[in-house]
Amino acid sequence: MINRERIKNLLIELIKIDSLSRQEYDVAMRLKREMEDLGAAVVIDDAGEKVGGNVGNLIASFTGNTPSARPLLLSAHMDTVVPGEGIVPILEGEVLRTDGRTVLGGDDKSGVAIICEAIRILQERKLPYGDIDVVFTICEESGVVGAKCLDIGRLRARTGLVLDSDSVGFLFTRGPGANRLEFRVHGLEAHAGVCPERGISAIQVAAAGIARMKLGRIDHETTANIGVIEGGMAVNIVPNAVLLRGEARSHSPEKLEQQTRHMINCLEEAAARQTLELDGNKFQARIDSKVELDYERMLVSENAPIVQLVYAAGKNLNVNVKTQATGGGCDANIFNQKGLEVANLGTGMRDIHTVHEWLDLKDLYLSGEMVLETLRLNATESWL
Ligand SMILES: [Zn+2]
């Protein structure tokens, strides 16, 4: 049912338009044209100004031909990761890849192309469908900040799909919540050769704290990482400052809190052990901790209508749909956090965030059929 030639050509055209995070203007204008051509009312919101980008989120509202059908959200992100400029897509048989210098950008142009083609087919074949809100977000890859800026009051849909994961038929319904952590370790500087006893090494405090931290995979639903460490000025200065940046994630809000507290405690205890008396004054190493909720967990019920719809679509197409838990975060986390019920369906993208990224067009076509069938079923008798 999907027009394979057309979706392939659109995907390749989109891939060739550079759209790093905060630089999605060109691709947004191309998609605005596509959406208006399909009859949507298009709005570009002010997320671009808020995040320092050159364009906002694109919101396209379609009026369905079956008013009693539940309005659905379809969303994909317009930005791609680095290295992602001047992408040269190479088609070998049915497999799209790059020349090895850049990512392919199938993450998430495959999702974008699927949405465009599915709506085009609904209209061409006069299939039944309800109202559709399409949201093409900016800056998913730079901390889902486009979705964070989106005013969901602009949407009619309260449920739907994000198209931003790999295997066809994989429906991500569970994802961890994440805290973003920043620790500043303060020591005391001194000449390392002349009077090291007058200093407190912030590097040593940081090292002692990190050495005691449980990191990596904590349990089946919790992970933690210290990903960035910066500090020190010269080999002959006892360092007075270290900056650590890390994260904790968990499917359980309690465990997320627990793990975050644990990481702070390890550093504070290490700092408490480093005290110094100098000329009658007491000095102590100290930690400034900053905890920011990056996004809340995603937890869409098996019984949610959107999950049941995708199961039914898979059945009709002989695709084995499986709901999955992911360790990652995406726009769907934010939509759910804002009160929508949104799951993340696979598009066929593979080895993403690497220059080896590739995509089998057969998977793209099948994902397109899945979305089309989901939209169609949503407006059929038994689902109204
Ligand atoms: Zn993505």
Side-chain angles (χ1 to χ4, degrees):
M1 293 234 280
I2 289 285
N3 183 326
R4 297 183 166 196
E5 202 55 26
R6 187 169 60 200
I7 189 173
K8 177 179 82 179
N9 290 339
L10 177 62
L11 174 61
I12 290 173
E13 182 189 348
L14 294 173
I15 283 173
K16 286 180 177 167
I17 304 174
D18 290 351
S19 63
L20 296 182
S21 302
R22 296 187 170 77
Q23 297 165 43
E24 302 93 339
Y25 179 84
D26 291 345
V27 79
M29 288 306 111
R30 173 65 185 86
L31 291 170
K32 182 167 183 279
R33 204 157 32 91
E34 185 80 7
M35 294 288 101
E36 285 174 344
D37 186 43
L38 288 167
V42 176
V43 171
I44 293 187
D45 73 7
D46 60 355
E49 289 137 55
K50 289 184 180 155
V51 306
N54 64 5
V55 74
N57 299 306
L58 186 156
I59 303 153
S61 312
F62 291 90
T63 304
N65 54 23
T66 312
S68 51
R70 167 188 294 114
L72 289 182
L73 167 73
L74 294 177
S75 181
H77 63 88
M78 297 187 283
D79 61 319
T80 60
V81 293
V82 290
E85 285 173 296
I87 298 174
V88 181
I90 295 169
L91 189 57
E92 290 167 356
E94 293 277 54
V95 172
L96 253 188
R97 47 177 93 249
T98 73
D99 58 6
R101 291 179 310 110
T102 66
V103 297
L104 180 64
D107 175 11
D108 189 19
K109 305 255 167 92
S110 56
V112 172
I114 285 170
I115 291 171
C116 295
E117 176 61 19
I119 293 174
R120 204 170 272 281
I121 293 280
L122 285 176
Q123 297 185 347
E124 272 180 3
R125 300 191 35 125
K126 301 190 168 49
L127 298 170
Y129 64 102
D131 292 346
I132 301 172
D133 292 324
V134 173
V135 176
F136 293 134
T137 58
I138 58 168
C139 294
E140 192 273 346
E141 302 288 7
S142 60
V144 290
V145 291
K148 283 180 179 175
C149 292
L150 181 77
D151 172 10
I152 60 154
R154 292 179 181 276
L155 309 180
R156 296 156 298 176
R158 285 295 167 265
T159 187
L161 293 173
V162 161
L163 293 151
D164 189 17
S165 59
D166 47 15
S167 299
V168 182
F170 275 26
L171 185 66
F172 289 95
T173 52
R174 287 154 285 152
N179 278 341
R180 205 177 270 244
L181 311 173
E182 192 180 284
F183 305 108
R184 282 177 194 278
V185 184
H186 302 280
L188 187 64
E189 68 188 340
H191 192 295
V194 177
C195 53
E197 48 284 291
R198 293 178 70 86
I200 296 175
S201 167
I203 287 180
Q204 223 172 3
V205 173
I210 293 170
R212 295 191 49 229
M213 270 181 209
K214 287 177 281 178
L215 294 173
R217 185 165 298 286
I218 309 302
D219 63 27
H220 69 286
E221 52 186 4
T222 311
T223 58
N225 188 43
I226 295 288
V228 174
I229 176 165
E230 288 167 18
M233 284 183 289
V235 290
N236 59 358
I237 302 173
V238 176
N240 71 348
V242 169
L243 171 70
L244 305 172
R245 283 209 297 265
E247 60 162 37
R249 302 182 186 211
S250 184
H251 291 266
S252 147
E254 294 75 34
K255 286 181 181 174
L256 179 62
E257 170 65 30
Q258 228 172 54
Q259 174 63 23
T260 302
R261 197 62 247 169
H262 160 74
M263 293 166 82
I264 295 171
N265 285 347
C266 286
L267 286 166
E268 285 183 345
E269 282 163 25
R273 285 196 298 272
Q274 292 285 340
T275 55
L276 189 64
E277 265 212 48
L278 268 188
D279 315 323
N281 293 318
K282 227 182 138 186
F283 290 92
Q284 186 178 3
R286 135 184 105 69
I287 312 290
D288 285 332
S289 302
K290 205 166 98 188
V291 179
E292 242 177 275
L293 176 70
D294 207 3
Y295 43 79
E296 283 176 22
R297 70 168 167 182
M298 160 175 161
L299 185 60
V300 178
S301 149
E302 281 290 304
N303 303 321
I306 188 64
V307 175
Q308 293 300 318
L309 259 176
V310 174
Y311 274 134
K315 212 169 154 200
N316 289 355
L317 295 169
N318 262 324
V319 174
N320 187 12
V321 173
K322 283 200 184 105
T323 58
Q324 304 275 334
T326 167
C330 70
D331 283 346
N333 287 65
I334 304 303
F335 290 133
N336 284 289
Q337 189 172 329
K338 287 176 186 267
L340 306 187
E341 198 162 52
V342 176
N344 179 359
L345 185 65
T347 70
M349 58 173 88
R350 304 284 175 183
D351 288 343
I352 59 166
H353 295 204
T354 78
V355 297
H356 310 294
E357 185 187 347
W358 59 283
L359 181 140
D360 187 332
L361 290 173
K362 291 197 291 297
D363 288 343
L364 178 83
Y365 304 149
L366 192 52
S367 290
E369 303 289 0
M370 282 288 294
V371 172
L372 177 60
E373 182 63 3
T374 301
L375 293 170
R376 188 191 70 81
L377 275 180
N378 180 55
T380 54
E381 196 83 14
S382 49
W383 289 89
L384 295 179

